[in-house]
Amino acid sequence: MPLPFQDLNALHAALLQAFRNRAEFEMFLMRRGRVYEDLTGAARRDIEFFNILVEANAKGWLGDLARALSEDPGLSGNAALTQAAESLLAKLHEPQAPALPDTALPPARVSDAAKARADSHDEDVQDALQRIVDKINPYVDAVAVLQRLARTGCHTGRVEAFGGTQGSCLLVGPDLVLTNHHVMSPLKPVEAGHLAVRFDFYKDEHGIVHDGFTVGMTADWLVLDSPPAPSDFSNDPDDEATADHLDYALVRLAEDVGIRPCHTALGGGTGGRATGRGWTTLDTDAPCPQRGAYLTIVQHPVGAPRKSTPGKVLSYGPSARRIRYDANTEVGSSGSPVLNGEGRLCALHHSGDPNFDLNAFNQGIPIGLIAADIAARGVILQAAS
């Protein structure tokens, strides 16, 4: 069973002291059959190291890593690292509380008077049997939300370089995808022939994985971008992101993916039915959900077939240029579309809380800010029909 994030903090701090640069830790992992670049995207060293611990924790080899750190002869003189690794091993081997037996509960005892009240047609009594307990999240039309979610799935892709995962992206024009600046900036020196976006990579209701298809990028693939803010890497939650730091990249593909068909599960059967793919229109007036509202992120976490994860809005950063939520993400989720409770695009996911504390959050950039910045810089995006 994976450990909570806070249990990784001591080992994380010890790793940063023991391995003063990426190359040392990369060699340590390589000797044990692990490829550093497969475990984390490019970021600051402390964030990369923590990403690797999270990956090991999620995939079940955290214990092997901790044991290797505590037993490695070259690290035997590092008491802090040995202690942190052994402490984590002890937590991993703590006995779990036995599960309660799966027994049926006895039927509830209802008095004759209560039965009479329940059978009454008095409106006041009937109203008392139901409650609106969450006024922030109203009813939504189920079919409309499912259709929007399916369409967003058709528009969500996986950014690849040399066949490896770099992040997620969203189709926002016939041949344009939107992702994060920090996903694409390390790839600027790479020839376009080694870069691609994979669409329709998903697992269907029968458990069959569909590999989808890849589309390359043009030689001048970068249309427009905006870098992340220093506050995105700060340990101070009150640091403010400025208007010219929106961490996005608009990328041109080598063909019009928007005119290709897309298979959705809404039509039934393996692979679903083919529909027109289209693309997602960026709306400068896209409303931001209020605190406590539901949202969904469609993503390729760790490069996996397309997933969605729910969450709630926790807060907004200073100047409302960042929206923070508790939906789960992993390496490879950067550049994912964030949808509000009605299934409408509201943000572009880009990072997590650099503190990694008990109140950790993930965060995105309101899509209205990105759309407005693109328009202000003279790029006109074609609206979806």
Side-chain angles (χ1 to χ4, degrees):
M1 179 180 296
L3 295 175
F5 277 4
Q6 62 267 27
D7 287 339
L8 307 181
N9 287 338
L11 184 58
H12 178 233
L15 280 177
L16 291 173
Q17 291 296 321
F19 299 96
R20 294 292 183 171
N21 58 62
R22 294 172 176 83
E24 292 178 0
F25 195 27
E26 182 178 1
M27 291 300 297
F28 178 87
L29 292 170
M30 187 179 298
R31 291 196 298 269
R32 287 152 185 84
R34 306 285 177 179
V35 180
Y36 188 98
E37 288 79 6
D38 291 347
L39 305 174
T40 178
R44 286 192 336 229
R45 181 173 64 98
D46 58 334
I47 295 176
E48 290 180 358
F49 281 22
F50 198 87
N51 286 344
I52 291 171
L53 290 180
V54 170
E55 173 79 357
N57 191 31
K59 296 298 176 65
W61 52 273
L62 183 61
D64 294 338
L65 175 61
R67 188 172 296 104
L69 290 167
S70 66
E71 296 175 353
D72 190 282
L75 300 171
S76 59
N78 193 318
L81 180 63
T82 301
Q83 181 179 354
E86 291 178 349
S87 175
L88 189 143
L89 278 169
K91 289 180 180 179
L92 284 169
H93 290 93
E94 284 178 357
Q96 302 294 318
L100 295 174
D102 223 1
T103 56
L105 294 174
R109 301 183 63 180
V110 183
S111 68
D112 291 339
K115 289 179 181 178
R117 287 196 299 273
D119 291 337
S120 169
H121 293 287
D122 185 290
E123 289 185 1
D124 291 338
V125 173
Q126 292 300 317
D127 287 347
L129 299 178
Q130 311 294 336
R131 286 289 185 270
I132 298 295
V133 298
D134 185 354
K135 294 183 179 180
I136 293 175
N137 294 290
Y139 295 113
V140 295
D141 295 321
V143 172
V145 171
L146 289 173
Q147 287 176 336
R148 291 183 190 121
L149 186 61
R151 282 199 300 271
T152 300
C154 287
H155 303 163
T156 302
R158 189 178 80 172
V159 179
E160 299 180 351
F162 299 98
T165 302
Q166 297 297 310
S168 300
C169 64
L170 178 68
L171 191 66
V172 296
D175 61 345
L176 292 171
V177 293
L178 183 70
T179 186
N180 291 141
H181 175 282
H182 76 259
V183 169
M184 301 307 299
S185 59
L187 304 179
K188 288 182 179 179
V190 178
E191 293 182 3
H194 299 300
L195 305 177
V197 173
R198 183 177 298 275
F199 291 95
D200 295 355
F201 179 39
Y202 69 97
K203 181 186 290 187
D204 67 21
E205 68 271 27
H206 304 292
I208 299 172
V209 174
H210 298 257
D211 291 333
F213 64 94
T214 58
V215 176
M217 299 179 188
T218 59
D220 53 348
W221 50 264
L222 183 60
V223 177
L224 205 64
D225 64 355
S226 177
S231 60
D232 294 328
F233 309 104
S234 169
N235 287 328
D236 184 349
D238 295 323
D239 282 353
E240 184 173 357
T242 57
D244 55 349
H245 290 88
L246 298 177
D247 194 15
Y248 76 82
L250 191 62
V251 174
R252 191 172 301 281
L253 303 177
E255 67 174 82
D256 289 348
V257 180
I259 66 174
R260 282 201 183 201
C262 178
H263 291 272
T264 75
L266 295 182
T270 300
R273 61 183 178 88
T275 64
R277 183 177 305 273
W279 56 90
T280 299
T281 299
L282 298 188
D283 185 1
T284 56
D285 296 322
C288 288
Q290 61 180 306
R291 184 175 179 178
Y294 292 128
L295 48 73
T296 300
I297 303 180
V298 182
Q299 55 183 300
H300 286 283
V302 201
R306 189 171 65 230
K307 309 286 185 184
S308 69
T309 183
K312 274 192 172 184
V313 177
L314 301 175
S315 65
Y316 282 82
S319 301
R321 294 192 181 103
R322 299 293 186 267
I323 174 173
R324 294 166 179 169
Y325 35 76
D326 61 5
N328 293 325
T329 60
E330 294 187 77
V331 174
S333 300
S334 293
S336 300
V338 183
L339 312 179
N340 66 12
E342 294 182 334
R344 301 182 187 277
L345 181 66
C346 65
L348 181 71
H349 172 72
H350 84 126
S351 74
D353 176 11
N355 284 300
F356 297 110
D357 58 16
L358 290 175
N359 299 315
F361 56 80
N362 284 310
Q363 71 177 16
I365 300 144
I367 207 66
L369 297 180
I370 295 175
D373 188 70
I374 291 173
R377 295 169 69 180
V379 176
I380 300 175
L381 299 179
Q382 184 178 340
S385 56

